[in-house]
Amino acid sequence: MLIELVSDLGMQATVVYEQEEGVSERVQTAFTINLALVVVLTGVAVLLAPAAAAFFDVEEETGLFRLGALNLVLIGLGNIPDGLLLRGMEFRRRSVPLVARALVSGSVSIALAVAGLGPEALVFGLLAGSAAWTLVLWLMTPLRPRLSFDREIARSMASYGVGATMLDGVAIVGTRVDQAAIG
């Protein structure tokens, strides 16, 4: 959850905050920053998979940790389109990809578990649900991304985005401190 939190560096929140119309150069820059960041974080997560598996004492499942890291890319591809729906206050439309994510994730996980796949069923379900979420978002929004980076735009967006990410982090830690202590 914390890795997902920083995976867009607040670009989704910035797209919502700025209240622009349409898909501007700022939105394209936010998408590019977000995509670059999730690719780097996915690489880091893949490299750290053995350490994560060792921490949970399941070294034999290192491959699942690596596979699960791909979820960051899938989520990253959907963050900015989701931000466009939020910006437009299209909450009813925004619920469609969320429902698709839950239905696909649950259906795939259950079907694969019944087929005897074990813990892999959960990871494949997670990935399928995130892919469905992203696909539906792309179908519902006008964003057709192109890799575009403007240094001035990036600098101005990052100043708000980093603060928004830190605030979200504090909120998550504050609401999960009891779980961390028990864990």
Side-chain angles (χ1 to χ4, degrees), residues 4-26:
E4 268 188 36
L5 171 69
V6 299
S7 71
D8 77 336
L9 200 61
M11 290 300 107
Q12 180 187 35
T14 304
V15 166
V16 173
Y17 169 75
E18 291 186 343
Q19 291 294 308
E20 290 184 322
E21 294 290 324
V23 178
S24 66
E25 190 62 29
R26 296 180 75 76

Side-chain angles (χ1 to χ4, degrees), residues 23-34:
V23 178
S24 66
E25 190 62 29
R26 296 180 75 76
V27 172
Q28 295 291 356
T29 297
F31 181 85
T32 302
I33 291 169
N34 185 68

Side-chain angles (χ1 to χ4, degrees), residues 39-107:
V39 167
V40 168
L41 287 174
T42 299
V44 169
V46 166
L47 291 173
L48 293 176
F55 177 79
F56 292 106
D57 197 27
V58 289
E59 288 86 356
E60 67 279 2
E61 302 296 351
T62 298
L64 283 180
F65 282 90
R66 287 187 173 125
L67 186 61
L70 296 178
N71 194 55
L72 290 170
V73 173
L74 294 171
I75 296 297
L77 289 169
N79 278 337
I80 302 305
D82 188 43
L84 292 175
L85 291 177
L86 281 168
R87 179 182 74 187
M89 295 180 28
E90 298 183 49
F91 303 118
R92 186 169 299 174
R93 289 186 67 215
R94 188 171 178 256
S95 67
V96 173
L98 293 171
V99 169
R101 181 182 198 174
L103 288 174
V104 170
S105 180
S107 299

